[in-house]
Each structure stands twice: as structure tokens, then as C-alpha cells.
Amino acid sequence: MSTLKEVLRKKIDEHRPRTVKLIKECGDVSLGEVTIAQAIGGARGVKCLVTDISYLDPMEGIRFRGKTIPETFAALPKVPGSDYPYVEGFWYMLMTGDVPTMEQTLEVVEDWKKRSQVPEYVIDVLRAMPRDSHPMTMFSTAVLAMQRDSIFAKNYREGKFNKMTCWEDMYEDATNLMAKLAPIAAYIYRMKYKGDTHIDADPNLDMGGNFARMMGVDAPYDDVARMYFILHSDHESGNVSAHTTHLVASALSDAYYSYSAGLNGLAGPLHGLANQEVLGWTQDFMAKLGGEVPTKEQLEKALWDTLNSGQVIPGYGHAVLRKTDPRYSSQREFCLKTEGLKDYPLFKLVSMIYEVAPGVLQEHGKAKNPWPNVDAQSGVIQWYYGVTEYDFYTVLFGVGRAIGCLANITWDRALGYAIERPKSVTTAMLEDAAGIK
Ligand code: HAX
């Protein structure tokens, strides 16, 4: 049986000539011009990144390696006794583009276990931080601290850099990091919120199962973890966390420097922190009503109050999507099929927001996409299973997002993508181009 790394090597060898041919023979072909609005407005829609790991269609939503979310869940080997797949098998699929067999999946499960021990110095660093630091700050710091163990950086330092084979060091760093992220996240959670009591991993469990165990949350939280990590993994390359990771890696920075930077971008309220903001907004609103589920009229007024005070409605809108995010729908389906959760007042309120907010946003007339994104739904599920510390939610996102970011930068190295260096212009140059005197 071929290992993941062997399969990856074969895929890389097959793929390289395509990239070389495109650059050498078709490098002058235009993918479109850049407008002034795009230059000022966050490069929206500018086609200047390449990835084969996922693609985001504005109307259909995400496809991982060509598969929709339901197709992905259906195709991958399932954890025994669970409806949800192994995260490890999903990693294999994102890396190689192939759906792994059960045997190949279990090989990744074993490989991650061997690499999952969190170094003692990382624990020391976390413990030295003020306990009220945001958990994303702790998480990103832990990832950065591990840079001392980078195989890529060590080999580079020792003069062993080779453009054709350096992806292997990135792969090793990426896998080492991936295997440690969930245990680090669980450590931060228990240190900060559970009286600094910790639970050891069980060698018989997969990554999702162990995460639930180390968090101290009973089944079906293991399934929630598997679903959550897969859904949050990748959203093509232009979003802030993926793009930052790619940008930093393009300077030949290693996986630790790159993903720590990606996490810092994920921590912004317009990106990953939105899941925390959604729950904060929703709960504050319910608290004002004495814990009651509001009427639609009350909800509509609260949404308008938020907009009129100049704030965004968290969990709604998207830079690319123009319909309900299928990652939202997938989590909604989980709620609807889970006894207890489907009648949970907070879920009812989130469902009511789904009915009311798009109309309000349309009438408001600013947001190009009035539909919910992934963050509008995820906090409710966490809250229901007892993970009520909502400043931790972006850390959960960060564990999942690593799967996509790290697979991408492994391929970046393999295909020799160049250091990123777009050109800037001055405002006067824009005025000149626009014919403004
Ligand atoms: N509520 C109120 N106004 C909104 C809005 C919302 N949910 N979404 C967009 N708008 C506003 C924008 O602020 C912008 O206003 P200005 O012209 O005054 O600057 C205008 O509508 C046009 O914005 P857009 O083109 O539709 O959206 P952008 O591509 O600029 O931004 C965002 C996309 C996701 C950042 C935006 O929709 C937003 O702020 N949403 C709320 C925060 C959120 O849910 N973020 C998570 C997104 C998913 C994600 O990355 N998760 O990690």
C-alpha cells in the first residue's frame, strides 16, 4: 500500500509539468484587468491565486477537491459507530485529491498519533501568558513557539535547500503541526476555563474523538468536532487566513511562521471571530428579552438597531458567496436531525434570524450578499454541548482551517510558487489613470 507521502510525491510529479507549461508557454495570457475599485477595495474578484485544493463558486459554495460538502461526507471512510468521517481521511483527500481507503485513512490516524505529543516548552509558554489573554493569542503563540522544531528551517539553515524536494520538509512540518493543533487547543480550553484540569488522549481514538475527550465533552461532541473541522478547513485561497498563510510561506518561511500568521488574520471580527460575535449578539439580544425567544417584529427591530448604529450583522454577508453558505446549511441540518438541539431556544432564534435578516439586509441595500455564512450557525452547536466560552470558538475554527492552509502551502512549495509581491500604485497614479485633474 502506498503511504500518503508516496501518493503525494506521485501527484506532484504528475502536476509539475502543467504548471511549468503554463508559465513558460502561456504566461502572457490575461485573466482580466484590475479596476480602481478592486485596487482600493481589497482586490475583490482579482484572479491572482492558484489552488487545486478547493474552489468557491459564488452560487454553489465550496467544493473540496471537486466535491460538494455532502459528497465529501458521503465519500470519506467513517469512524466506526459514527455518521461522520475521519478528519485524517479528509486531510489525505485535500492533500492528494484522492479519497483514501479505510487502510490509508488509518495509516494517517496512526501517523498523527505518533506526532501528537505537545512539547513541554509549549505548555510552559502558554502557562506564562496572562490567563485572560484571548485564546486565539495563546493558540497563535503556541504555533509560533514550535517554529524551533521546524525541519524545513533546520535544513535550510544547514544549506540543504533543494527546490524540487523542499516540499517534503514542508509536508513533515505541516503534518507535525496538524497532529498537535487539537491537543494544544484542548489544553488552552481546559487551562483557561476548566480550572486548569487536563485530560489525556486515548490512543484508541481518532483526532475528532480525542479532541472531544480532551475538551471533556461527551458524545456526540466527537461528531461535532469532525464535522466542524472539515467544514472550516478550506474556502479557496483568497480569504484572509488562507491568503496570509500562503503569503508568508511564499517568503520560504516555514509552516509554523506561516500558519501562526494565518491564525492572526483569522482572529479578526470580519473573518473567523464572527462566530464569537454572532453568539454574543444573539445572547445579548435574548438576555434583553429575559431569555425569551423574540417575535419576528422584535428581531427585525434589533437587526435595524444594529445596522443603524453602524455595525455589521455578524454571520451574514460574504466577499464571494451570493447565496446561503452550504457550510451554514450543513450545520443547520445537524441541528434539525439532533433531538434536543432542534427545539433548543437559541437554535430557534438563529433560525428566525435566517428568516428575517436577509430581508432586512436587502432593504438596507449595502451588503452584496444578504445570506448567512458559516459563522451564523456554528456557535449554537457549541453552546448546546456545553462549550459556552465563546471567545474560544475561533480557536476551533483555527484547528479546522489548518487542514486547508497547510495542504496548500505544501503544494505551494511543490510547485515552486514564487514569493508574492503585487505592485502598489499611488493615489495620484489612480487619479491620472481615471483622468481626474
Ligand atoms: N451587515 C451589515 N453590513 C454589511 C454586512 C453585514 N452582515 N455585510 C456587508 N455589509 C456592508 C459592508 O460593510 C459594506 O459597507 P460599506 O460600503 O459601508 O463599507 C457593504 O455592505 C458592501 O460590502 P460587501 O461587498 O457586501 O461585503 P465585503 O466583501 O466587503 O465584506 C464581509 C464581506 C464578510 C466582511 C461582510 O459581509 C461582513 O462584514 N459580514 C459580517 C461579518 C461576518 O460575518 N464575517 C464572517 C465572514 C465569513 C468568514 O470569513 N468567516 O470566517
Side-chain angles (χ1 to χ4, degrees):
M1 183 190 66
S2 302
T3 65
L4 165 52
K5 197 167 170 184
E6 285 161 7
V7 174
L8 188 55
R9 181 176 289 113
K10 191 167 155 281
K11 297 273 172 183
I12 288 168
D13 287 345
E14 282 165 8
H15 194 110
R16 273 181 175 149
R18 294 171 64 195
T19 304
V20 171
K21 186 179 165 89
L22 283 167
I23 295 178
K24 286 219 164 122
E25 296 175 25
C26 323
D28 291 334
V29 173
S30 170
L31 294 179
E33 60 173 22
V34 179
T35 64
I36 289 179
Q38 288 171 317
I40 298 178
R44 209 66 86 253
V46 178
K47 292 177 190 148
C48 60
L49 293 165
V50 187
T51 178
D52 298 295
I53 287 176
S54 68
Y55 182 76
L56 179 59
D57 179 87
M59 301 312 291
E60 188 194 46
I62 193 69
R63 277 181 183 259
F64 302 119
R65 288 288 188 178
K67 289 191 168 24
T68 62
I69 290 169
E71 286 166 2
T72 300
F73 282 134
L76 289 167
K78 308 284 177 301
V79 178
S82 162
D83 290 341
Y84 284 87
Y86 286 93
V87 177
E88 294 90 333
F90 181 67
W91 166 256
Y92 186 113
M93 186 180 113
L94 281 201
M95 273 284 188
T96 64
D98 290 348
V99 174
T101 61
M102 182 59 103
E103 207 183 349
Q104 286 166 324
T105 303
L106 292 177
E107 196 182 80
V108 181
V109 172
E110 286 314 307
D111 188 32
W112 282 19
K113 269 180 206 162
K114 284 191 211 124
R115 299 173 189 248
S116 65
Q117 187 65 42
V118 179
E120 209 43 50
Y121 69 83
V122 174
I123 303 294
D124 292 344
V125 167
L126 290 173
R127 302 191 72 78
M129 293 179 79
R131 230 18 93 76
D132 61 357
S133 302
H134 194 282
M136 275 302 273
T137 313
M138 292 183 161
F139 195 44
S140 172
T141 304
V143 171
L144 188 59
M146 287 191 288
Q147 192 279 332
R148 75 183 279 280
D149 292 329
S150 167
I151 295 166
F152 178 87
K154 178 173 176 289
N155 283 340
Y156 193 90
R157 231 176 11 248
E158 292 173 0
K160 294 183 194 151
F161 176 74
N162 173 321
K163 213 170 173 195
M164 295 306 277
T165 54
C166 68
W167 69 266
E168 297 195 31
D169 292 346
M170 181 61 105
Y171 170 86
E172 294 299 332
D173 281 349
T175 312
N176 284 335
L177 182 50
M178 200 60 240
K180 292 176 179 60
L181 286 176
I184 290 173
Y187 189 91
I188 293 171
Y189 181 75
R190 305 264 336 160
M191 179 179 74
K192 253 181 94 73
Y193 311 110
K194 298 291 162 188
D196 206 4
T197 56
H198 299 276
I199 303 165
D200 285 338
D202 176 344
N204 298 312
L205 295 176
D206 65 304
M207 184 259 210
N210 254 325
F211 180 69
R213 176 186 158 86
M214 294 172 93
M215 289 283 288
V217 189
D218 292 338
Y221 192 70
D222 49 351
D223 275 345
V224 171
R226 292 173 191 120
M227 170 181 73
Y228 198 95
F229 295 150
I230 292 174
L231 288 182
H232 287 79
S233 61
D234 208 36
H235 222 218
E236 66 173 40
S237 283
N239 65 80
V240 170
S241 49
H243 187 201
T244 308
T245 308
H246 164 81
L247 169 68
V248 176
S250 83
L252 290 188
S253 298
D254 56 61
Y256 301 91
Y257 278 133
S258 306
Y259 195 55
S260 175
L263 284 170
N264 298 342
L266 190 68
L270 293 187
H271 191 18
L273 203 78
N275 58 11
Q276 161 179 343
E277 306 266 303
V278 169
L279 213 66
W281 187 93
T282 315
Q283 299 232 323
D284 283 354
F285 175 50
M286 267 178 97
K288 279 184 208 146
L289 298 172
E292 291 298 310
V293 176
T295 63
K296 284 190 184 166
E297 290 68 31
Q298 286 170 317
L299 177 58
E300 201 172 321
K301 181 178 176 314
L303 291 167
W304 276 111
D305 287 348
T306 299
L307 291 172
N308 291 335
S309 69
Q311 292 170 46
V312 294
I313 296 178
Y316 280 73
H318 201 272
V320 179
L321 276 168
R322 294 294 175 259
K323 62 159 257 186
T324 298
D325 190 336
R327 300 172 301 172
Y328 174 94
S329 309
S330 186
Q331 295 181 87
R332 183 174 158 78
E333 273 162 36
F334 179 89
C335 294
L336 287 171
K337 74 177 184 198
T338 304
E339 214 50 57
L341 194 44
K342 70 173 191 282
D343 302 316
Y344 190 48
L346 203 56
F347 174 62
K348 283 190 172 164
L349 177 52
V350 164
S351 298
M352 197 191 281
I353 298 175
Y354 187 27
E355 285 176 51
V356 178
V360 170
L361 279 167
Q362 268 159 344
E363 200 181 326
H364 185 242
K366 270 191 173 185
K368 293 190 190 69
N369 175 34
W371 301 106
N373 59 58
V374 65
D375 295 319
Q377 182 71 242
S378 49
V380 177
I381 302 178
Q382 297 296 331
W383 189 277
Y384 180 76
Y385 288 108
V387 182
T388 54
E389 302 81 2
Y390 46 73
D391 56 357
F392 187 72
Y393 294 173
T394 314
V395 174
L396 297 169
F397 195 153
V399 175
R401 180 50 54 99
I403 307 170
C405 289
L406 295 173
N408 265 294
I409 58 176
T410 304
W411 273 93
D412 289 354
R413 283 281 195 282
L415 299 179
Y417 284 175
I419 183 167
E420 235 194 71
R421 203 338 183 158
K423 181 80 187 83
S424 57
V425 290
T426 65
T427 305
M429 287 174 185
L430 295 183
E431 287 164 345
D432 262 4
I436 298 171
K437 293 279 175 275

